[in-house]
Amino acid sequence: GGDGITSSITGVSATFAAGGGGGGNTNAGAGGNGGGGIAGGGNPATAAVSGAVNLGSGGGGAGGFSTAFPGGDGGSGAVYIRYNPTIPSIYTVTTSRIIQMPLDAKSIEDYLIVGGGGGGGAGTNSPTAYGGGGGAGGVRIGSGFPIVGGASYLVEIGAGGTADTDTRGGQGGNSSLGDLVALGGGGGASGGETINGGPGGSGGGGQGGPGTKQSTGGQGFSPQGFSGGDGLGSSAPHNGGGGGGAGEAGATSAGAGGDGLASSITGSSVDYGGGGGGGAEAPGTTGAAGDGGGGTGGKAPSTAAQAGTANLGGGGGGGYAPNVTGGAGGSGVAILKIRTSGTEVTTFTNSGVWNAPVGATSMDYLIVAGGGAGGKGQGGGGGAGGFRAATGVPIVPGAQYTVLIGSG
């Protein structure tokens, strides 16, 4: 019988769809490599051998002259489906630590890294001034970062900047994975000195106040964030500038913090990197927090500034006069989506339904039909079942596929 076709779809090399050997009066025909049945031979004849089950091989032909000697049955068919079943694993890192990558991981499919937000500036009484909002931590969003499977990587998470009572809110800490670095946000300017908002992933807001006590917002680092707003000093009511956000600059008028950026890396849309609102003089408008964890600015006479939200990288709100501190910045975060390269194989030896896993988008398959039976008395060997194989065939995740298996 003719030899079959070799495949390693299961992870082990196997040969499918071989032909059965032909029967003879004297000699038996050999079955093909791949489960083909050995023919009967001699007179009286030896029994023919059936084709191997689930390989789709033909049965051997019967030997001898008599038609009373049956040929071997054909082997049944089978379907083999190989696919990558993995829904990507999500690693959320909120404090600095070492993570070990899965052995079969090749790259980080998607990542979000956010630096710590800057602290809000303080308000002061002499001179009267209002603190700028803290700038948001820088936001880095990307895909395809190469890694070595099984290796360990240090992921550093930046702390939020402290709320300051002197010259400027504290600088937020950087967050990083290798050479992927999200910068900490700049601190908001404080009223004790005429100092500008701090530079950073997003810049801190400038201080506001009468006379010459206003200052400019700190510069943001593109494309991680935007600059802080300038402090308002031209006329009352005064306010500190809003801290810059990952999605827009902080405002000068009313001191709103800049909004952050939305990411759905976890499966739900979340805003990250909002700037803190500037401190405000009564009866002015409270410096609104930027979407993405920014802290609301304080407002005279008694509304305290809010801290930025932890693990969103929000900037802290600015304080108000007299002598009220701003809010601390929120800590950063790193979120990594890692897809492994491991595969699974589903084997069908009986008809059924295959439910394509959620997360799988393509498959490799091997399909072999049932083999033919060998003929009687000096009969021919049975032919192998048809063989089909392909790779990278698109599928619909979660869909059902009917599988039919041919008998021998």
Side-chain angles (χ1 to χ4, degrees), residues 87-400:
I87 298 173
S89 298
I90 303 296
Y91 291 72
T92 300
V93 185
T94 57
T95 58
S96 297
R97 65 185 177 93
I98 293 173
I99 61 172
Q100 185 174 18
M101 300 300 176
L103 287 173
D104 52 357
K106 303 299 182 185
S107 68
I108 295 174
E109 186 171 283
D110 297 304
Y111 60 82
L112 166 74
I113 302 177
V114 183
T124 58
N125 186 41
S126 180
T128 300
Y130 300 84
V139 175
R140 295 198 64 171
I141 297 174
S143 59
F145 183 71
I147 56 175
V148 176
S152 295
Y153 291 81
L154 173 62
V155 181
E156 294 189 286
I157 303 301
T162 57
D164 194 71
T165 59
D166 188 7
T167 58
R168 186 184 287 162
Q171 183 84 10
N174 296 344
S175 297
S176 64
L177 167 64
D179 59 2
L180 293 175
V181 180
L183 299 175
S190 292
E193 300 286 345
T194 307
I195 291 179
N196 297 331
S202 290
Q207 71 177 26
T212 60
K213 298 306 177 183
Q214 62 273 7
S215 64
T216 60
Q219 184 175 5
F221 185 81
S222 180
Q224 297 188 24
F226 288 80
S227 297
D230 298 340
L232 184 64
S234 57
S235 60
H238 306 97
N239 62 260
E248 64 178 1
T252 293
S253 178
D259 288 339
L261 290 176
S263 170
S264 299
I265 190 171
T266 62
S268 300
S269 181
V270 177
D271 292 328
Y272 298 86
E281 179 182 15
T285 302
T286 300
D291 291 341
T296 303
K299 180 182 175 181
S302 60
T303 302
Q306 300 298 307
T309 304
N311 305 130
L312 295 181
Y320 60 87
N323 303 318
V324 178
T325 62
S331 56
V333 71
I335 302 177
L336 313 175
K337 181 188 290 186
I338 302 174
R339 188 186 297 273
T340 60
S341 60
T343 57
E344 292 186 11
V345 177
T346 298
T347 300
F348 285 90
T349 56
N350 295 293
S351 297
V353 173
W354 181 58
N355 296 301
V358 175
T361 58
S362 67
M363 68 174 178
D364 305 335
Y365 68 74
L366 184 154
I367 302 173
V368 60
K376 297 180 178 181
Q378 297 190 56
F387 178 95
R388 295 190 66 177
T391 59
V393 179
I395 58 175
V396 178
Q400 292 187 329

